[in-house]
DNA sequence: TCATTACCTAGCCACATGGCTAACCAACTC
DNA sequence: GAGTTGGTTAGCCATGTGGCTAGGTAATGA
C-alpha cells in the first residue's frame, strides 16, 4: 500500500537532494558537476543521487566514463497535485464554514 | 541551513501521516478519532502526530481530557510552491529547447 | 468515589539513513 | 602504456525512525 508518494516526499526531505533537483531544473549535468558544490565525499553524494533515481525524480545514463543526470518532472507534478488537493479540500471547508457563518448572521434565530 | 521544507517533506513521506492530513483536510478531529482507522498502538500513533506538529503541518489543543487536532495549510502551500517552481523552471527550459529546435529547423545551416 | 476513558511518558528494539574510508575499474590523455 | 579522471563497490559507524509494552495521570460519568 506504500504509495509512490512515500519515496517522492522522502527524497525531497533532504536539503542536498533538493539542491540537486534545483540544479537539474536548469538542465541535465554530469555527477561530478552536481557533486562539486557539496562538501561531502563522492560515495555519500552518490547515495543521494541513488535515492532520487529510485524515487523516479531523476534519470541517468552513462556516457563514456561520465554519468549524465536528468530531472523527471512527472513525479514533481504528482506530489504537487496531492498537496494542492489537500489544500483545496481544507480551504473549501473554510469557505463553507464562512458561508454558514454568514448565513447564520443574515438570519439569526 | 536546514530549510523548514526538510521537516515538511519528511512529515509527508509516511502514509500514516498523509492519511492523517487527508482526514484533517475535511475538518479537525480528536486524537482518538484520528487513531481509530490505523492498526497501531496509540503511543506509536502519537509519535506521528508529534512529527506533524513539529513540522508545523498541524496544530492541537487540549479540551478536557481530549486533544483536538487541526490542519495548518500554510506549510502545504509552501511545499506546493517549491515543487511548482522547480517544475516551471524545468518546463520553461523544455519550452526554450523546443523554440531553439524550431528555430534551427526553420533556418538549417 | 470509583471506574473508565483518553491520552502521556519512559524505555526498549530492529532497521533505515547519511556520513565516512579504502580499494577498485574503466575510459581518456599524453 | 602509464597516469589521471570519473565513478563504483564494499563495508564500517552513529544517529534517527517507527514500532512495541508497561505504567502513569487527569477528566468524566455512574
Amino acid at each position: 500500500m506504500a504509495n509512490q508518494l512515500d519515496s517522492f516526499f522522502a527524497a525531497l526531505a533532504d536539503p542536498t537532494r533538493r539542491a540537486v533537483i534545483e540544479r537539474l531544473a536548469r538542465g541535465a549535468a554530469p555527477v561530478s558537476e552536481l557533486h562539486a558544490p557539496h562538501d561531502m565525499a563522492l560515495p555519500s553524494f552518490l547515495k543521494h543521487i541513488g535515492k532520487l533515481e529510485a524515487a523516479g525524480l531523476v534519470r541517468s545514463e552513462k556516457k563514456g566514463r561520465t554519468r549524465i543526470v536528468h530531472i523527471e518532472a512527472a513525479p514533481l507534478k504528482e506530489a504537487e497535485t496531492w498537496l494542492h488537493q489537500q489544500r483545496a479540500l481544507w480551504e473549501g471547508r473554510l469557505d463553507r464554514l464562512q458561508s454558514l457563518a454568514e448565513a447564520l448572521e443574515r438570519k439569526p434565530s
Side-chain angles (χ1 to χ4, degrees), chain A:
Chain A
M1 167 67 99
N3 200 310
Q4 276 209 307
L5 285 172
D6 271 35
S7 46
F8 298 165
F9 282 127
L12 293 177
D14 181 285
T16 299
R17 292 193 294 260
R18 280 200 309 281
V20 169
I21 290 294
E22 285 171 0
R23 166 63 190 79
L24 289 178
R26 304 201 316 277
V31 166
S32 51
E33 184 185 331
L34 292 173
H35 173 229
H38 299 283
D39 186 17
M40 176 186 301
L42 220 215
S44 314
F45 184 75
L46 281 179
K47 279 202 198 171
H48 287 298
I49 300 293
K51 286 252 165 97
L52 287 171
E53 195 152 15
L57 281 162
V58 131
R59 230 169 346 106
S60 79
E61 60 199 76
K62 197 101 189 213
K63 277 262 162 64
R65 70 183 157 177
T66 82
R67 174 174 297 278
I68 309 294
V69 187
H70 317 253
I71 205 173
E72 196 70 75
L76 287 182
K77 179 151 193 177
E78 183 173 340
E80 194 182 331
T81 299
W82 185 88
L83 287 172
H84 187 74
Q85 280 170 355
Q86 304 317 312
R87 216 157 52 78
L89 259 176
W90 171 244
E91 285 168 1
R93 203 187 79 90
L94 287 187
D95 287 352
R96 287 194 302 281
L97 279 181
Q98 176 140 7
S99 308
L100 180 61
E102 283 165 3
L104 287 173
E105 200 153 312
R106 275 195 304 280
K107 186 184 137 187
S109 62

